[in-house]
Each structure stands twice: as C-alpha cells, then as structure tokens.
Amino acid sequence: MNYSDERFADIQLLRYRLNGFEQLSLLQKKLVYYLSQATLYGRDITFDQFGKYNLRIRKMLEVIYTDKTIPHDTEDFAALEEYLKRVWFSNGIYHHYGCEKFKPAFSEHYLRTVLQQVDPCRLPLRNGETVDQLCEELFPVIFDDSVLPKRVNKADGEDLIQTSACNFYDGVTQQEAERFYAEQKKADAHNPASVSYGLNSTLVKRNGVIKEEVWSAYGRYGNAIRHIIYWLEKAAGVAENEHQQRVIRLLIQYYETGDLRIFNDYCIEWVSEHEGRIDFVNGFIEVYGDPLGLKGSWEGIVEYKDLEATKRTQAISRNAQWFEDHSPVDPRFRKPQVKGVVANAICAAMLGGDEYPSTAIGINLPNADWLRAQHGSKSITISNITDAYNKAAHGSGFKEEFVIDESVLSLIEKYGDVCDNLHTDLHECLGHGSGQLLSGVDPDALKAYGNTIEEARADLFGLYYIADQKLIDLGLVPDAEAYKSQYYTYIMNGLMTQLIRIQPGHQIEEAHMRNRALIAHWCYQQDDVIQLVKRNGKTYVSISDYAALRQLFARLLAEIQRIKSEGDYEAARQLVEQYAVKVDAELHQEVLSRYKQLNLAPYKGFINPVMLPVMDANGEICDIQLNYSESYAHQMLRYSSEYATLI
C-alpha cells in the first residue's frame, strides 16, 4: 500500500516504502537506524522555531486529546482533533505552506471548559501558573486573528520581523537585524570563506543590547541537540568509511560549539563524501522560514542511494560543465569551472523537522554560494517520495479537469512522470549549482526576495534544458516531443492550478509558489505564446508555440541570473512584486470551485515507517525491521512522548 486514506482539512497522508532496505548490510541498517533517531530528536526545535507558543499549545491540546474523561463524540472535540492534526502537520499553529494562522472551529468556552476538567499536572504549566493563567496567555494566540497572524510575512514595505510570528528574533526590528548582520559581514568582508551569519542563532535584544543566542549543545535548544549528538556518536561508530565518520564527527563538533566555521568545514567534508551508500541531512539548513532569509530551520532526512534511478542523475552531473557552458546567460555569470556536482536518486528512510510530514522531492546543498563554487554540491532526488506522489495522483481526475484537450492530456499521460522527475533532477543537480556571483556581491543582497529569485533561477535552468537535444542524446528523454508535457503542466500550475493552495482574498507569499507564478505570468505577458482561453465557461491554458516558449525561458533565465550575480535588489523586487504576488480574484474563485468538485486534498504529507531493532541473545542489534502500519495520530503522540526535549 503506497498511500493512506487518512485525510483532514486540506491534507492527505501518504506512506513511502523503503525499497531495497532489506538488501543493506547489518552495519548499514544500524547506521540508518542511528541517524534516524538523531533525525527524530530535532522535532521540538522546529516547533519552537516556527512560533514561540507552538510547543505549549501542542502539549495542551495533546493532553485534552488523550484524556479519557472528556467526551470524544462531540462536534467540538472533532474540531479540536482536526486542529491538533493540523498543528502536528505544520509543526505549529501556522499553515505549513501559506503561513497563515489556523482558525479553530471550536470555541474559547469549550477549550476553557475541557482544560478545567483534565489533570493540571499533565498540562504545560510553568511554576505556580494556574489553568486560568495558561488560558490568558495562549487563548489570544489561538483565537484572536490580530495576534501573530502570520508565521512569515513578506509584504513589501512592512517590518518583516515584527509582523512575522516565527521565533528567530526577539525584541528587534528588521532595520536593527539587518544592521547587526551587515556589521558582522563588514568585519569579514575580505574572507573568501565567509560563514553564513545568523544561520544558527536567535537574535535578541536584552536591556537595549542586541546579541545572538546560539543554538548549540550548551546554548539554546541544548537538550534537543545533546540527544541528537548522542545518536550521531552511535552513528559514527558504524560509519561505512573513515570519510563518512569524519563528516559525522565534524557535525557533532559544530553542534557542541555552534561555531559556523566548523559548519563550513563540515559542509566541505560532507559534499566530498561519495563512497558510502547511506547519507543524511541534519541541522539548521533552509532559510525559507525567516522573512530575511538568514535563519536555518532545523531539518533532518536519512537516505540511501537508489542505485538504478541514480544512473539518470549521474548522467546529468557528469555533463555539468557542458550545461554550464551552453547556458543562455551572460558568460560573465557562468562558472568557468564547475566543481564537484554530485547527483543521486535516493530512497528516504526517515524524515524529520522541517522535512516532516511535508517534504521536498529534491534537495541541493550546501546553500552557501562560495562553497558551491569552490567545493561543489550534492543533489538528491527522492525517488520513493515521488513514487508515492505519482501513485496517489493517477486516476484523481485532476488533469482531466484542467488540461485543455485530449491531445495535450495524452502527451502528459505519456511523458509526465518522466519529465517531472527529470525537471526536478535538472533543478536540483544543475540549476542551484549553476552561475556565479560577481566579485564583491553580498550573497544576501536580494534580502526577502532572494529565495524566490533562487528558486526561479533553478526552475528556469531545468525548463530550458529539458527541451534540449542533449537530453535525447543522453537517453534521458525518449524524443523531441516529451518536454512539451512539462512546459504545459508548469505553466498551467503557475497561472492557475497552484491557486488551490491560496485562501480567497490572499496573495501569494510562499517562495516556491511565487517562483512559479513569476515565470508563468512573465511568459504569459510576452509575445502571445501563452493564452488563457474559455471553453464551456471554464478557463484553460493554451500554448501556441512551445519552441518560442523555450526562448522566453532563456530570456528570463538570463535576467534572473543577472539579478542574482549582480545583487540587483531593486530589479528583484520589481520582478517579484509585478509578476509573483497578485492573484486574479475571478480566476481564483473559478479554480477553487472546479477543484472542490474533485474532492481532492491540495497538500500531501507522509507517515514515517517505524524502525524496530531486533536484538540477539547478547543484547546486540542483529537486524532492523520496518513497520508501515502506524497511524498518523499514534505516530505524532509517540513522537511527542519519546522525542520530547524542550517541554
């Protein structure tokens, strides 16, 4: 069984299988298990990063949910259950994609009543705190739309820190934060191996003094990080080779000290370790959760190579220099020498933090531009995740509803899965690693627009090359028609169907959605290559010239790369605000209405497998068994119990 029938709100839960896990050696299985434990112990960090009240709200709701004295057959309890499931899914009280605060369907009166019925010793009460005081603190956060309404706010012209509920800053303004990090960068301006300032700290103002509280084993989040270190130590003891062991030891050292220079050393060693079949990401990595794009949300993923699917990604990475040399961007912005581009298709073995329950289908790291330029990058496409998505999508009726006609639908049915996977490969393997900054350009020069521009750059790189004869020559696409399926679905998504993820009256804010809207709307407004046509009262995308669309992708890629390479903040702002933010209300309502009739969930997430160590007579692990039967609620409650570190 590849997916679960469990659904709530706008979410469907899927399962992913660890294909080929049984073929791993015992040492490899133990390594996967230990790294998985390290992955699960970061969960509370992500919850706290996504909002300062998240952990207490989650614990409070879990106490009610598991209390046997409270009736479970009422409408209010059902509403509380759905709200709690959404909190679990989003690592807090804000939508995992749209960042808006959830609106509970139960009342303040109901919540106060049931809180007074449960054992207060189980509630997350601070020393001397009463239930009424708990309600006074948390109820406005839960019920008042005006209190901390968005986790990440990117509205142009507002103080993005003070209007965002994410827990990366305390008592500082956007201007103060930008000035603080500008001063740090200035002192390190001549260092070619600069650190990612602000990546692993909370910036706070205490008694008028601004300082960082570093996330480390003996700093903020220390208890969680010490548990992660414990399991990383065990993983180091069963590493596949000395290089892999060195990588894990450096990560431990970084966690112990919080020193970002050690993190650089770790990244250099991690990106050059290729021999082992097992790999992992564990740490403060992606910066999408910070409106300034500086602070890394905690995430974890454990993986092992999908040996067959990796042949595809390696064919791309072996030709990385060819793709760079033939890119349609100004030669000044191309890398003269592409270094260390490594791409693998992998099976995810465990997801955690910001990668769970909702996860990426591809990853390219490290993020620092100078590290990519000097030491290369690792890219992964997660084959068992994309397989689960594809199996859940087939037969849903979605394409039949939104694709313009049978000929285009037939094209998508024939080539869609192949080209979707290939575009992800090109995006992650080559797109993110392509291009270079001009000398002296601050990697953070684009500020709040940096994430959107970077995602657009990688997507455009993939869109441009998926139509290239080179991919046919490499055997990656079957013929010269295949790319059209990707072009059509991409433009349809950017102009129309991704709007199913936006609430009526809202604008587009998530970086990946802004990226797709930017590309689709910019191309739509050029040269009449794309049309929105009406048939039987419904709007459809029509593409009149696919070859001309490829040239539009080339033009936009050249401009996006220029913006990134030169650090042109104003051009980035104008491009994003003009094409990537606004929503056509009439089209939006039509798309929502048509989608609703399909009875589908716009978001998907995953339930992790359960890993069970099997012990021999001497108490040593002799095997790791997998179980796929755990329910979503049971898994979440078990994680809240077994991996609780911060409450």
Side-chain angles (χ1 to χ4, degrees), residues 45 52 82 172 191 199 201 237 260 343 404 419 442 450 520 524 535 610 619:
I45 297 176
K52 66 185 295 186
E82 179 175 288
V172 299
N191 181 5
L199 183 70
S201 66
L260 286 168
I404 189 167
C419 286
D442 182 352
Y524 174 61
R535 294 186 180 178
V610 180

Side-chain angles (χ1 to χ4, degrees), residues 560-581:
I560 291 280
Q561 183 63 63
R562 183 199 67 77
I563 289 170
K564 167 110 177 171
S565 294
E566 295 181 348
D568 189 343
Y569 171 82
E570 188 54 35
R573 189 188 72 81
Q574 290 182 11
L575 205 55
V576 172
E577 293 295 336
Q578 181 174 352
Y579 296 105
V581 177

Side-chain angles (χ1 to χ4, degrees), residues 37 173 251 352 354 504 553:
Q37 290 293 99
T173 66
L251 179 58
D354 199 15
F553 290 148

Side-chain angles (χ1 to χ4, degrees), residues 5 25 27 33 151 163 168 176 234 246 265 290 386 421 518 521 582 617 620 633:
D5 288 328
S25 69
L27 204 68
Y33 174 69
R151 176 166 66 88
T163 57
F168 296 124
E176 288 173 330
K234 295 181 78 68
R246 190 160 65 248
D265 295 339
D290 174 11
T386 55
N421 289 337
L518 189 163
H521 282 278
K582 299 178 181 65
E620 298 293 327

